[in-house]
Amino acid sequence: MEKKRIGVLTGGGDCAGLNPAIKWVVKTALDERLKRTRKVEHEVIGIRDGWKGLVEPEGDGDPPVPRIFTLTEEMVRTWDRYGGTNLGTSRTNPYDPKKDRSKTVLENLERYQIDYLIAIGGEDTLGVANKLYREGVKVVGIPKTIDKDLSGTDYTLGFETALNVITEEIDRLRTTAGSHRRIFVVETMGRHAGWLALEGGESSGAYIILIPECDFDMNKVNELLVEGRRKGMRYEIIVVAEGAKPIGGTEIIKENGVDSFGHKALGGIGEFLADQITKATKIETRSVTLSHLQRGGAPCAYDRRMGRYFGIAAVDLIAKEDFGKMVSYRNGKITAVPLEEAVGKLNVVDVKTQYDIERYNGRRTILGY
Ligand code: F6P
């Protein structure tokens, strides 16, 4: 019987849902019944630390831990219960313009006899996968990012678990906010897309939601807050995405410099807002940055299920020899789209139909009346 090796890696920011996807890649690829019907025997190769695993496969440390190893069903049996990625991740970019190491990746795929590659990641990781596909690598992608900003899919792994974190944390803040009659500003992740802030704010019933797709007017935010108090509100919750900014302002940056994909580290808009609000309204305002808490914890039921379906579908694509595709969830169905489509442009909130620019909140008309 023909023998083939499937490499699997996770790249970019971690999130819940990665481990379930890896588990189901392994279980599907090694499935005995499918082996007989597909007439191919697979071995699954775990690649540690994202693209770094294919740039420096020998690993580091003393003695070095190799970044290429065989995954068995027994190894991954319990992985779907755990958050993060047991393969590790990195933001290594083999096509970094400062030091292009894409040739090394191609050589290592050859050296470790990796016939097919499954890349699990967001726009950066899948952008690399797409470039490798153009160079002849038989690659398929699985979408993940808590930001949900990949095109070509209605769902990206990690998003629902992150929303649950946001909702739970806001529930906690409500009691203390109410006791002290304070305003709380909750800063979520979301560099370019406001999905986490918008849907997190909707899930938790926030009073104001600010997203990168709609620059906000600071005076209007203050007016809405003062109006709330006039109407008898004891406290208010504002949810703001890290990439949101005031009209005429710029995004707030946490650290100078950019990563190998050219991204700045954002953070601080929550604190900025709290300060501006306290000064203008004299209402005591505090800010909380949820930061990496949103990426942590065990995957919720939805991420376990979607990880499973995406993992199975990725192996289906390999069995069908349908490369250069990303598995996707669209209109209630698991399907696949070209990687090119997924990474071409970001999926952001459509302010006209999905956001209320008067209230700075979720929409109040859904069916169009
Ligand atoms: O790309 C997803 C994301 O969650 C962004 O919203 C955020 O800016 C970034 O990761 C932060 O990641 P890290 O601190 O791990 O580099």
Side-chain angles (χ1 to χ4, degrees):
M1 193 178 295
E2 200 186 11
K3 287 195 176 160
K4 295 282 185 188
R5 297 181 102 192
I6 301 177
V8 56
L9 63 81
T10 51
D14 76 324
C15 64
L18 295 169
N19 281 324
I22 301 163
K23 168 175 169 170
W24 284 95
V25 162
V26 175
K27 280 187 73 75
T28 314
L30 303 185
D31 186 277
E32 280 297 326
R33 189 164 50 90
L34 288 173
K35 180 168 111 182
R36 284 196 298 277
T37 53
R38 290 174 174 171
K39 296 186 179 47
V40 51
E41 187 175 337
H42 288 130
E43 182 183 352
V44 184
I45 306 299
I47 301 165
R48 288 189 216 274
D49 306 333
W51 295 116
K52 195 175 200 174
L54 286 171
V55 172
E56 295 160 16
E58 45 297 314
D60 43 28
D62 189 14
V65 179
R67 290 203 172 94
I68 308 273
F69 64 107
T70 299
L71 284 167
T72 63
E73 274 198 79
E74 189 46 37
M75 280 163 89
V76 299
R77 195 171 53 81
T78 61
W79 283 22
D80 48 351
R81 296 172 218 161
Y82 300 100
T85 163
N86 290 354
L87 288 180
T89 185
S90 70
R91 293 200 186 271
T92 299
N93 178 8
Y95 291 94
D96 187 342
K98 285 196 218 112
K99 193 173 181 195
D100 191 315
R101 286 172 294 178
S102 54
K103 292 286 163 287
T104 314
V105 169
L106 295 174
E107 280 160 21
N108 283 324
L109 285 170
E110 187 103 13
R111 181 169 150 215
Y112 290 93
Q113 294 164 342
I114 296 172
D115 302 291
Y116 312 119
L117 193 59
I118 298 179
I120 313 179
E123 49 150 343
D124 298 329
T125 305
L126 298 186
V128 171
N130 191 35
K131 285 183 185 156
L132 288 171
Y133 171 64
R134 285 202 229 115
E135 301 207 42
V137 177
K138 293 174 174 170
V139 59
V140 302
I142 294 181
K144 76 84 215 175
T145 159
I146 67 164
D147 293 357
K148 206 176 72 170
D149 57 0
L150 266 173
S151 289
T153 184
D154 298 339
Y155 192 66
T156 57
L157 296 179
F159 181 73
E160 279 294 326
T161 305
L163 274 193
N164 286 343
V165 173
I166 296 171
T167 309
E168 279 164 24
E169 295 303 333
I170 292 179
D171 280 351
R172 275 191 191 97
L173 284 175
R174 282 183 182 280
T175 53
T176 174
S179 309
H180 289 266
R181 304 209 65 186
R182 283 175 174 152
I183 296 169
F184 262 89
V185 183
V186 179
E187 180 180 314
T188 68
M189 282 189 175
R191 273 187 197 132
H192 314 287
W195 298 113
L196 272 179
L198 178 60
E199 295 186 38
E202 288 177 333
S203 306
S204 59
Y207 181 57
I208 292 177
I209 301 170
L210 303 171
I211 56 175
E213 293 85 342
C214 179
D215 291 356
F216 59 87
D217 175 350
M218 198 61 240
N219 292 329
K220 198 166 144 187
V221 169
N222 291 329
E223 278 163 24
L224 285 167
L225 291 164
V226 171
E227 189 190 315
R229 288 290 159 123
R230 235 193 351 255
K231 286 184 182 161
M233 287 180 74
R234 284 189 58 82
Y235 71 95
E236 294 80 13
I237 302 285
I238 302 176
V239 180
V240 60
E242 62 181 355
K245 57 184 191 313
I247 295 168
T250 50
E251 293 152 342
I252 300 188
I253 296 162
K254 198 164 53 184
E255 288 156 24
N256 282 326
V258 290
D259 68 15
S260 69
F261 287 95
H263 302 299
K264 300 172 201 152
L266 301 182
I269 184 70
E271 226 176 289
F272 166 85
L273 273 165
D275 187 52
Q276 296 287 311
I277 293 166
T278 311
K279 281 189 188 132
T281 65
K282 309 282 178 267
I283 307 170
E284 213 181 350
T285 308
R286 297 277 194 268
S287 77
V288 170
T289 304
L290 294 180
S291 186
H292 296 79
L293 284 174
Q294 294 159 98
R295 298 220 301 242
C300 66
Y302 194 70
D303 273 318
R304 293 183 201 200
R305 214 162 73 251
M306 292 305 276
R308 175 180 177 135
Y309 298 157
F310 282 174
I312 293 172
V315 178
D316 285 346
L317 285 177
I318 288 175
K320 283 167 61 184
E321 307 224 300
D322 196 0
F323 307 113
K325 295 273 177 73
M326 176 189 81
V327 299
S328 121
Y329 181 66
R330 264 196 160 166
N331 306 322
K333 285 204 174 91
I334 306 288
T335 175
V337 295
L339 277 168
E340 194 78 45
E341 186 186 326
V343 299
K345 70 174 178 42
L346 288 178
N347 168 32
V348 296
V349 174
D350 175 16
V351 172
K352 272 207 197 102
T353 58
Q354 293 167 315
Y355 187 66
D356 182 339
I357 51 169
E358 295 303 318
R359 287 194 177 91
Y360 287 154
N361 210 305
R363 65 201 156 154
R364 288 284 172 94
T365 310
I366 289 178
L367 298 180
Y369 281 101

